[in-house]
Amino acid sequence: MEDLRPIVVDDDPIQRRDLILIERAKAGELDAFNDLVTCYQDQLFALVVRMVPDRDQASDAVQEAFFSAYRNLGSFRGGIVRSWLTRIAVNAAMDIQRAKRRRPAQPYPELEDEAWQPRADEQADPVWTTLHTERSRALSTALSAITADQRTAIVLFDVQGYDYGEIAAMTGVSLGTVKSRIHRGRLALRGLLEGRMELFRS
């Protein structure tokens, strides 16, 4: 049964905007949900494309995540809307990984969100740009070679900044399993990047 209780509006302006859009969407305003999609589709794709080695599959996972979010608007009980959408997107990505367990034929997509881009004053420096490109390629290739579970945990922890508890809730495993996946994944990455660590020291 759909929960029609009003959601408490948060003091944070972005969260307040998101909660208002959720309330309007729950009331049947499709445009409100479309606004939410516009706000978060790029962020969710930037996350999922690190977890799923095929860009088309990553795009499908994000689309499915929004479909799922829309179908389950009634289950939203408050909290951070971004975290709620991220959890749904992570689950969609994990479903794809479970359905197609094989090594990707192409190198892992380069990290694309702004956190991995050079600062404006460095973009014109060809040396920095070359180093940045080589670093991203090396890291992306290494990420594609570790297990999907380890990659998911590392992306959520080291790139997205979620804590152990949040990752455990998103992925449906214990806190200890999350810590183990991050630890083992980092060790695997270190081994894969051996000989190229000079890229990450500058």
Side-chain angles (χ1 to χ4, degrees):
M1 181 176 178
E2 184 172 316
D3 184 358
L4 297 177
R5 291 175 298 175
I7 298 172
V8 177
V9 175
D10 195 273
D11 289 335
D12 177 79
I14 293 177
Q15 174 68 354
R16 182 166 62 247
R17 174 206 67 193
D18 292 349
L19 291 175
I20 290 172
L21 289 175
I22 287 283
E23 277 287 280
R24 289 172 52 198
K26 290 177 75 171
E29 294 185 37
L30 182 57
D31 285 346
F33 188 79
N34 288 337
D35 287 344
L36 204 61
V37 172
T38 300
C39 290
Y40 286 105
Q41 60 186 355
D42 290 343
Q43 291 181 40
L44 293 185
F45 180 78
L47 165 65
V48 172
V49 79
R50 298 190 183 96
M51 299 168 57
V52 178
D54 180 274
R55 296 180 69 86
D56 289 336
Q57 290 182 344
S59 181
D60 289 345
V62 173
Q63 186 176 46
E64 178 55 37
F66 280 119
F67 284 149
S68 178
Y70 186 74
R71 290 193 300 266
N72 292 284
L73 280 170
S75 69
F76 181 75
R77 297 291 189 270
I80 305 299
V81 175
R82 175 176 174 271
S83 295
W84 180 65
L85 290 173
T86 298
R87 183 166 60 252
I88 295 172
V90 167
N91 287 333
M94 291 172 65
D95 286 344
I96 284 181
Q97 292 174 126
R98 281 191 288 264
K100 198 170 186 179
R101 296 238 184 225
R102 62 180 175 83
R103 190 185 179 106
Q106 299 296 329
Y108 201 74
E110 290 189 12
L111 306 179
E112 292 189 346
D113 82 3
E114 294 177 358
W116 294 88
Q117 299 302 315
R119 295 193 298 270
D121 60 343
E122 293 174 323
Q123 289 180 354
D125 182 352
V127 174
W128 197 98
T129 301
T130 300
L131 176 63
H132 168 76
T133 300
E134 287 301 310
R135 180 184 296 158
S136 293
R137 284 176 180 167
L139 183 57
S140 296
T141 301
L143 277 170
S144 73
I146 65 177
T147 69
D149 290 339
Q150 291 170 355
R151 182 167 62 243
T152 296
I154 285 175
V155 167
L156 290 173
F157 187 77
D158 289 327
V159 180
Q160 293 294 313
Y162 290 102
D163 62 32
Y164 295 129
E166 290 172 320
I167 297 170
M170 287 179 186
T171 56
V173 298
S174 70
L175 206 63
T177 298
V178 170
K179 293 179 180 179
S180 175
R181 287 176 178 176
I182 292 172
H183 176 68
R184 291 177 182 275
R186 285 174 172 171
L187 289 178
L189 285 176
R190 186 179 303 169
L192 290 163
L193 292 168
E194 188 175 5
R196 306 212 68 189
M197 292 308 296
E198 72 280 356
L199 292 173
F200 301 91
R201 293 194 181 103
S202 55

